[in-house]
Amino acid sequence: MSNIAIVTGGSRGIGAATARMLAQRGYDVAISYLSNADAAAAVVRDIEAAGRRGLAVKCDAGGEAETERLFETVDKELGTLTALVNNAGMTGLAGRLDEAPAETIRACIDANLYGTIWASRAAVRRMSTRFGGRGGAIVNVSSIASRLGSPNYYVWYAAAKGGVDALTIGLAKEVVKEGIRVNAVAPGIIDTDIHESSSGLPGRVEKEAHLVPIGRAGTPEEVAEGIVWLLSDAASYVTADIMQISGAR
Ligand code: NAP
């Protein structure tokens, strides 16, 4: 039976690298995206070029009903889900909390925290042996922001990722005897569009690489390696873990 994965926010950055790597390692992969249909289509082409089935679905991660439809589409088009990567996320324009508009904060918590909750619930309903499923694995893409707090950048984002960490630990314990492992990765500064397109901090990667003990930003592929390992049977005794991929930051 084939492995079937959903990667939320799989059109760009860490999600796109993860979707491509999963296809290379034998998974059929559905990606969701928010608005960038061209980028999503390019990732699907790469999944198919790796010999696997690929699917792109437009779905705002923060929407409960939209997320239900995403999972139903995957049920129909690809089959029984075995892996979920909750990657969709954004920060909103960087700044102090006392200056942040409510819509920025809400959009961030919707995408990062509610998104992880809705998709994890839908995945458990499909994977859990309690519901006749064949088990599976979930990896949440958190951030070291939950530990650092991100003052003057986006403390609301750090709070959302703190929620993701708590969900990871709690849900892992809740479903551990139902064939499901739940883990997270906590990346440090990774070289993707997010810093410019979401945080409004162009050049952040170059400007702040010296703050990372290893001396550089990470690549999306370096994060994807951790995610793909946590999803794999090689990590069969690993659950409720939050793996830092942060160059010692
Ligand atoms: P990115 O390059 O900006 O890509 C974001 C991806 O998420 C895109 O595919 C985007 O879709 C999608 N997306 C954004 N909001 C969404 C929503 N509401 N619903 C569905 N999809 C949505 O970001 P990234 O750096 O790869 O970040 C991926 C994850 O890693 C996020 O959870 C982020 O918080 C986390 N992270 C990143 C870093 C870093 O330094 N880059 C560090 C720690 C954690 P479109 O293409 O349609 O816009």
Side-chain angles (χ1 to χ4, degrees):
M1 250 187 296
S2 58
N3 270 316
I4 295 170
I6 293 178
V7 180
T8 66
S11 47
R12 293 183 293 117
I14 294 167
T18 302
R20 290 184 172 109
M21 199 174 286
L22 284 171
Q24 284 155 9
R25 312 258 170 110
Y27 289 73
D28 294 326
V29 188
I31 61 167
S32 69
Y33 64 98
L34 184 62
S35 59
N36 202 330
D38 289 347
V43 174
V44 169
R45 280 196 297 277
D46 289 344
I47 292 166
E48 290 170 349
R52 308 307 312 181
R53 293 180 299 159
L55 180 70
V57 180
K58 184 171 159 54
C59 171
D60 187 337
E64 181 189 3
E66 275 183 61
T67 299
E68 288 296 317
R69 281 198 295 278
L70 164 68
F71 278 73
E72 283 160 16
T73 305
V74 173
D75 291 341
K76 265 192 254 133
E77 304 277 326
L78 297 182
T80 309
L81 188 74
T82 58
L84 168 67
V85 182
N86 282 310
N87 166 79
M90 45 81 78
T91 59
L93 279 189
R96 290 171 52 96
L97 179 65
D98 51 35
E99 290 165 358
E103 55 270 26
T104 299
I105 295 168
R106 281 218 179 84
C108 177
I109 291 174
D110 275 348
N112 290 286
L113 182 52
Y114 273 110
T116 300
I117 291 173
W118 302 139
S120 297
R121 188 182 64 173
V124 168
R125 287 172 176 168
R126 285 159 175 81
M127 293 173 178
S128 170
T129 52
R130 182 189 167 102
F131 301 113
R134 56 178 171 128
I138 299 174
V139 175
N140 299 323
V141 182
S142 182
S143 170
I144 59 165
S146 69
R147 174 165 51 77
L148 301 179
S150 305
N152 303 306
Y153 275 70
Y154 25 64
V155 295
W156 55 89
Y157 169 81
K161 293 302 195 186
V164 169
D165 290 353
L167 183 90
T168 302
I169 293 164
L171 185 62
K173 292 175 180 173
E174 197 165 286
V175 298
V176 68
K177 291 202 173 149
E178 299 170 21
I180 306 175
R181 293 181 300 102
V182 186
N183 292 288
V185 292
I189 299 185
I190 308 302
D191 191 358
T192 71
D193 296 345
I194 197 169
H195 310 288
E196 181 161 358
S197 63
S198 185
S199 318
L201 298 168
R204 179 180 183 213
V205 168
E206 297 72 38
K207 281 182 209 147
E208 297 191 9
H210 72 280
L211 298 175
V212 186
I214 204 171
R216 63 172 177 85
T219 67
E221 289 72 24
E222 287 174 313
V223 181
E225 285 285 1
I227 295 170
V228 171
W229 181 76
L230 284 168
L231 289 177
S232 77
D233 289 342
S236 53
Y237 202 60
V238 182
T239 190
D241 192 45
I242 298 164
M243 181 201 277
Q244 292 189 68
I245 305 179
S246 63
R249 185 150 186 241

